[in-house]
Amino acid sequence: MVLLSAPRWLRSRLTDRFWRVQEVLKYARHFRGRKNRCYKLAVRSVRRAFVKSTKARREKKRFLRALWITRIEAASLEHGLKYSAFISNLLKSQVELNRKMIADLAIYEPKTFKSLAALAQRRRQEGFLAALGDGKEPEGIFSRIVHHY
Amino acid sequence: VAKTSLTSPPWPEVELPDPVEEAKYHAEVVQKVNKMIATGQYGRLFAVVHFASKQWKITSEDLIMMDNVLEAECGDRIRMEKVLLVGADDFTLVGRPLLGKDLVRVEATVIEKTESWPKINMHFWKRHNYQRKKIIVNPQTVLRINTIEIFPCLS
């Protein structure tokens, strides 16, 4: 409201208190108890609700990642692999699916997940063979086998 | 020589199959899959696409909503190039990390460009008379995946 002279300002009264109160109460309508009706209680509850929702938006990402990891662990155990082996071998075979996708595939595309598990298992075995090497002793080092002549 | 705890590795001993025979088997499988793709014996295809820094599992006639702006007008056809995985009922093609552009083609159309619902960011410290409230509205884009096509150029 535009009040054009000083006498008008001094005699002004707050006329849109109802709408200012409704702005806060509309966010509290689904709360339990008197805080969905009484403004003084609602202000505090609504403020806490907003702050909790901002913090929860950051935690949701952590929570969902943990959920996906749990699901991938369960699915890979069904195929005889642990989560650590599965993920590390998939990454070593240059398959860059993220955990959300692998969890979705494990739920909706079981055959695809089985083939991914087989890929990871095969890469794991190749890694073991590569780690064993030739099976010979390294050069220039005394063997622990002592020959008595 | 006496056996100690370190003579054999802690994992069970595995033998890999013969490389020559394996190569033959692989070539056979690749030819079979190529034939299947060429004759069109697959049902509905699904693909895993990397788009807008997220990975999506999509099929045809799918709706996708991204939380950012796309520089295309509504009604533009878009080809998504970073395809990580394509699968049907009987076979899957896994990219390492991406599949070739001459192998898969994913087409989408931009349907809608709107804003998200007003999200409220609030910070409040009790007993310090500190509160900040900010309303955040993100632009959003909705895409419809029209088709996913594969071509028989495996080797």
Side-chain angles (χ1 to χ4, degrees):
Chain A
M1 290 186 358
V2 179
L3 299 166
L4 289 167
S5 57
R8 291 260 189 258
W9 269 114
L10 291 172
R11 273 189 281 172
S12 75
R13 302 166 69 227
L14 190 62
T15 44
D16 52 348
R17 187 172 284 121
F18 171 76
W19 291 281
R20 293 190 194 188
V21 160
Q22 285 306 305
E23 254 178 34
V24 170
L25 283 179
K26 82 178 180 218
Y27 290 109
R29 284 306 178 199
H30 63 279
F31 290 172
R32 195 185 200 204
R34 265 193 279 182
K35 41 189 201 280
N36 60 24
R37 299 183 288 280
C38 310
Y39 180 73
K40 218 171 165 181
L41 308 173
V43 161
R44 289 175 240 160
S45 289
V46 162
R47 195 186 289 151
R48 277 173 74 74
F50 286 159
V51 170
K52 286 185 181 191
S53 75
T54 23
K55 290 188 191 160
R57 247 177 270 139
R58 302 177 55 198
E59 314 242 304
K60 181 178 174 182
K61 301 157 179 66
R62 302 176 208 174
F63 169 72
L64 279 179
R65 187 171 162 123
L67 178 69
W68 297 326
I69 290 180
T70 320
R71 286 183 175 173
I72 297 172
E73 169 125 47
S76 61
L77 283 173
E78 281 179 9
H79 292 284
L81 269 177
K82 294 190 197 173
Y83 168 80
S84 47
F86 181 67
I87 288 275
S88 56
N89 292 112
L90 268 192
L91 283 174
K92 286 174 195 171
S93 338
Q94 295 165 314
V95 173
E96 311 231 324
L97 292 165
N98 63 12
R99 286 148 182 83
K100 167 176 143 203
M101 284 332 299
I102 304 179
D104 288 344
L105 289 176
I107 297 172
Y108 295 110
E109 318 278 342
K111 297 185 205 169
T112 310
F113 188 81
K114 183 171 180 180
S115 59
L116 286 174
L119 177 66
Q121 178 75 307
R122 173 57 190 264
R123 176 65 183 74
R124 188 167 191 234
Q125 285 159 5
E126 287 176 10
F128 289 157
L129 281 179
L132 277 179
D134 289 333
K136 298 182 196 142
E137 307 258 359
E139 290 179 11
I141 294 183
F142 274 104
S143 144
R144 61 185 179 82
I145 307 170
V146 178
H147 298 279
H148 292 285
Y149 291 112
Chain B
V1 185
K3 296 264 176 203
T4 60
S5 62
L6 291 179
T7 35
S8 58
W11 52 80
E13 202 183 300
V14 201
E15 271 190 28
L16 287 184
D18 190 24
V20 174
E21 280 187 20
E22 228 197 339
K24 252 195 275 175
Y25 174 65
H26 284 340
E28 251 185 66
V29 168
V30 164
Q31 264 195 10
K32 234 200 243 181
V33 173
N34 235 351
K35 221 197 294 179
M36 276 180 78
I37 299 176
T39 49
Q41 283 173 19
Y42 46 81
R44 179 166 271 252
L45 284 173
F46 76 92
V48 171
V49 150
H50 184 283
F51 194 64
S53 75
K54 283 176 276 281
Q55 295 182 5
W56 311 82
K57 176 184 164 300
I58 51 181
T59 31
S60 48
E61 304 158 26
D62 230 356
L63 275 177
I64 278 190
M65 185 160 78
M66 318 179 326
D67 219 15
N68 52 20
V69 177
L70 205 57
E71 288 157 356
E73 298 304 313
C74 291
D76 283 354
R77 269 189 95 93
I78 289 185
R79 186 195 169 176
M80 299 198 194
E81 295 186 349
K82 294 184 200 161
V83 183
L84 298 157
L85 219 193
V86 161
D89 195 24
D90 296 319
F91 60 88
T92 346
L93 305 170
V94 181
R96 292 156 79 120
L98 294 176
L99 287 171
K101 296 200 322 190
D102 51 344
L103 187 52
V104 202
R105 191 179 171 94
V106 181
E107 301 244 307
T109 330
V110 182
I111 290 191
E112 208 187 315
K113 291 164 90 165
T114 44
E115 299 176 325
S116 73
W117 60 286
K119 300 188 189 176
I120 303 190
N121 241 11
M122 188 147 190
H123 299 281
F124 175 74
W125 281 354
K126 52 186 180 183
R127 298 183 292 268
H128 286 83
N129 194 21
Y130 173 81
Q131 55 176 342
R132 303 280 179 265
K133 181 169 164 185
K134 185 172 179 183
I135 302 187
I136 297 186
V137 176
N138 293 324
Q140 287 175 337
T141 326
V142 180
L143 296 174
R144 165 90 63 184
I145 312 291
N146 300 112
T147 51
I148 305 179
E149 296 154 0
I150 38 176
F151 309 106
C153 34
L154 291 171
S155 63

